[in-house]
Amino acid sequence: AQSVTQLDSQVPVFEEAPVELRCNYSSSVSVYLFWYVQYPNQGLQLLLKYLSGSTLVESINGFEAEFNKSQTSFHLRKPSVHISDTAEYFCAVSRTGFQKLVFGTGTRLLVSP
Amino acid sequence: EAGVTQSPTHLIKTRGQQATLRCSPISGHTSVYWYQQALGLGLQFLLWYDEGEERNRGNFPPRFSGRQFPNYSSELNVNALELEDSALYLCASSLNQGGNQPQHFGDGTRLSIL
């Protein structure tokens, strides 16, 4: 079975500072990896995904994540955060050929001025 | 393109009652998923429907059930409601292509059990 660990439940950071949200997964088979963002009182929005190919994937709003197979990690990074990035971020994994998403417990990113 | 829509936004029930939650997927998506987001428990997979059939089920009791209609919309039914069923229930949809299609989520139905 797959599992996802997000070690940091909350990450406080100042505006324009860089940030890294950590995600580690465990699986004995090939997986697909996703990052979702949830703003207050809303559902989840897909931020970026890794399916295959280049291990570095980018989103349109400046986030990027790198798939590291040897370390079974898929950390999310942004070089300079904005107040509007304040939200909860979920890392998720699905096994190739299966549709079920397994989520981490989420990391709350708090950006302050 | 319209996103995944869920209704109602909020639902208040008492213990022992039954709740019905509804979901309309993105046009063209045949797979619908249900997740429960309960405080302190994170996001838990409930059910997956595709082409009208239940394809996979999470670790939830049988009083959680659902169905998918010919137009691919879906209902989640929860019978004999318990206090711990209070949660945000999220519906997602995707194309069914072996798990490599991202799931797109609705804004959820917040179910409160009094």
Side-chain angles (χ1 to χ4, degrees):
Chain A
Q2 296 77 48
S3 67
V4 178
T5 301
Q6 292 182 250
L7 286 172
D8 305 306
S9 60
Q10 191 165 288
V11 173
V13 64
F14 289 110
E15 193 174 19
E16 297 183 4
V19 71
E20 178 180 82
L21 306 183
R22 296 179 293 169
C23 171
N24 287 88
Y25 69 94
S26 66
S27 176
S28 58
V29 297
S30 295
V31 296
Y32 301 124
L33 294 156
F34 306 86
W35 274 100
Y36 284 86
V37 58
Q38 186 177 33
Y39 298 100
N41 299 314
Q42 293 186 22
L44 277 70
Q45 298 176 25
L46 179 68
L47 199 54
L48 42 76
K49 62 187 178 189
Y50 171 77
L51 304 179
S52 64
S54 173
T55 57
L56 184 66
V57 290
E58 298 177 350
S59 72
I60 57 174
N61 55 357
F63 283 95
E64 65 179 29
E66 186 161 19
F67 170 59
N68 188 319
K69 189 174 182 179
S70 62
Q71 296 186 7
T72 60
S73 68
F74 191 55
H75 301 331
L76 182 70
R77 301 184 184 96
K78 189 170 185 179
S80 175
V81 294
H82 303 289
I83 296 286
S84 58
D85 292 325
T86 295
E88 186 136 21
Y89 293 80
F90 291 92
C91 182
V93 62
S94 70
R95 179 179 163 183
T96 54
F98 286 77
Q99 307 287 92
K100 168 186 169 182
L101 276 175
V102 176
F103 285 90
T105 50
T107 297
R108 187 172 300 276
L109 177 62
L110 297 169
V111 182
S112 53
Chain B
E1 168 183 274
V4 176
T5 58
Q6 292 186 245
S7 63
T9 305
H10 294 91
L11 191 56
I12 300 174
K13 295 286 186 179
T14 57
R15 288 178 59 189
Q17 285 189 314
Q18 185 249 0
T20 298
L21 288 63
R22 296 179 176 82
C23 172
S24 292
I26 290 172
S27 177
H29 287 185
T30 62
S31 281
V32 171
Y33 315 82
W34 288 95
Y35 292 87
Q36 182 196 65
Q37 187 175 24
L39 202 61
L41 295 178
L43 280 150
Q44 304 292 324
F45 168 76
L46 258 168
L47 290 158
W48 168 34
Y49 291 95
D50 185 72
E51 297 288 357
E53 293 189 15
E54 182 180 302
R55 302 293 186 178
N56 200 355
R57 182 181 184 85
N59 188 24
F60 281 84
R63 57 191 186 83
F64 286 83
S65 65
R67 54 180 173 167
Q68 186 179 35
F69 298 98
N71 66 353
Y72 302 115
S73 67
S74 176
E75 273 183 3
L76 173 69
N77 295 293
V78 188
N79 293 319
L81 287 165
E82 300 178 3
L83 292 176
E84 53 264 34
D85 297 333
S86 293
L88 181 67
Y89 288 84
L90 292 167
C91 173
S93 74
S94 78
L95 299 169
N96 180 10
Q97 292 185 4
N100 67 355
Q101 293 299 313
Q103 296 179 20
H104 299 267
F105 286 78
D107 285 340
T109 293
R110 186 163 297 281
L111 177 62
S112 299
I113 312 303
L114 304 179

